[in-house]
Amino acid sequence: MIRGFLLTLVLLLLALQFLASLFETALYAGEKIYFDHNDLLYTRGWLYYFKWVVKPLSGVLALGLVLPTLCACCCGGPDRRFGTGGKGFPSVLAFFSVVLTGLWAVIVGFQLRNNEHTTVSTLVSNTVSSGVFVYPLGDGFSLKNDCDAAPFPQIDHGKTACRLLKAESGMAIGCLGLWALTFLMSLFLLCNARRTSKIKPIAV
């Protein structure tokens, strides 16, 4: 009963993760297209390309884990047939979820680290010194920024670009949280499998 409840939660988390990662990837691609189309300058560091790997990978792995979760939830999964005591699937789930949690943590960590460099005051200061406004697409965007405040309304396409960047940064935090919760559920599944395997049937 506990296992079924945990698997249902995992299935829900993976479905949400797939949708969130799909939306995040589409949003990131949309940002690039929008910026390029309107000749808006943006940063392109290693984190910019790292995001291109993690975002679609997150969606693919979430979708790939949905099927074995359904199998484990509805028909007991392959664990019982191959005598792994129900630990096989939770172990695989734990591995992939901790890897994706780490990858998203890198994105969000650098996003938070770069917060001071992506606030309005710093962006304006850099614009004054360089003469060019450069959007921090590759660095993440401070959620403290107000898209209705200067300088965004005064810049061509500034308000839309600001809202896109804030949405992408916010969704990254959401994806990190979903993978972290999935990892936590996989640990609960492992603990439940070990507890169940210690219960021996009483011989009649």
Side-chain angles (χ1 to χ4, degrees):
M1 183 177 177
I2 296 176
R3 184 173 185 268
F5 174 71
L6 291 173
L7 285 171
T8 302
L9 286 179
V10 168
L11 186 61
L12 178 62
L13 287 170
L14 289 174
L16 289 174
Q17 183 63 254
F18 170 69
L19 293 174
S21 298
L22 185 66
F23 180 76
E24 177 78 340
T25 304
L27 185 61
Y28 198 52
E31 282 178 305
K32 185 185 185 312
I33 293 170
Y34 184 81
F35 283 21
D36 289 341
H37 178 73
N38 293 292
D39 297 321
L40 303 177
L41 297 178
Y42 54 90
T43 56
R44 290 193 190 187
W46 68 269
L47 191 59
Y48 168 81
Y49 298 100
F50 184 75
K51 289 181 180 181
W52 277 118
V53 175
V54 175
K55 293 173 190 284
L57 178 64
S58 176
V60 169
L61 284 178
L63 183 61
L65 288 168
V66 165
L67 185 59
T69 305
L70 276 172
C71 184
C73 189
C74 300
C75 55
D79 290 353
R80 294 179 181 177
R81 275 182 278 152
F82 293 104
T84 58
K87 299 176 187 175
F89 170 69
S91 299
V92 172
L93 181 65
F95 172 76
F96 284 113
S97 58
V98 76
V99 168
L100 266 298
T101 299
L103 292 175
W104 277 110
V106 171
I107 291 176
V108 174
F110 275 93
Q111 181 175 298
L112 294 174
R113 179 188 175 190
N114 294 332
N115 258 357
E116 293 303 317
H117 304 289
T118 59
T119 55
V120 169
S121 58
T122 306
L123 290 172
V124 170
S125 177
N126 292 338
T127 301
V128 172
S129 60
S130 64
V132 181
F133 193 92
V134 181
Y135 289 93
L137 179 62
D139 302 320
F141 196 62
S142 176
L143 298 179
K144 299 176 183 177
N145 290 334
D146 183 2
C147 297
D148 293 319
F152 299 110
Q154 286 76 41
I155 303 173
D156 288 339
H157 313 288
K159 290 176 70 173
T160 302
C162 174
R163 286 167 182 162
L164 287 172
L165 286 167
K166 284 187 75 171
E168 186 236 325
S169 293
M171 283 297 299
I173 296 172
C175 289
L176 170 62
L178 286 171
W179 275 119
L181 285 173
T182 304
F183 175 62
L184 187 62
M185 290 301 106
S186 69
L187 294 181
F188 287 150
L189 280 170
L190 276 172
C191 291
N192 182 69
R194 286 172 183 168
R195 185 181 63 83
T196 305
S197 64
K198 291 178 181 178
I199 301 175
K200 306 278 185 188
I202 300 174
V204 180

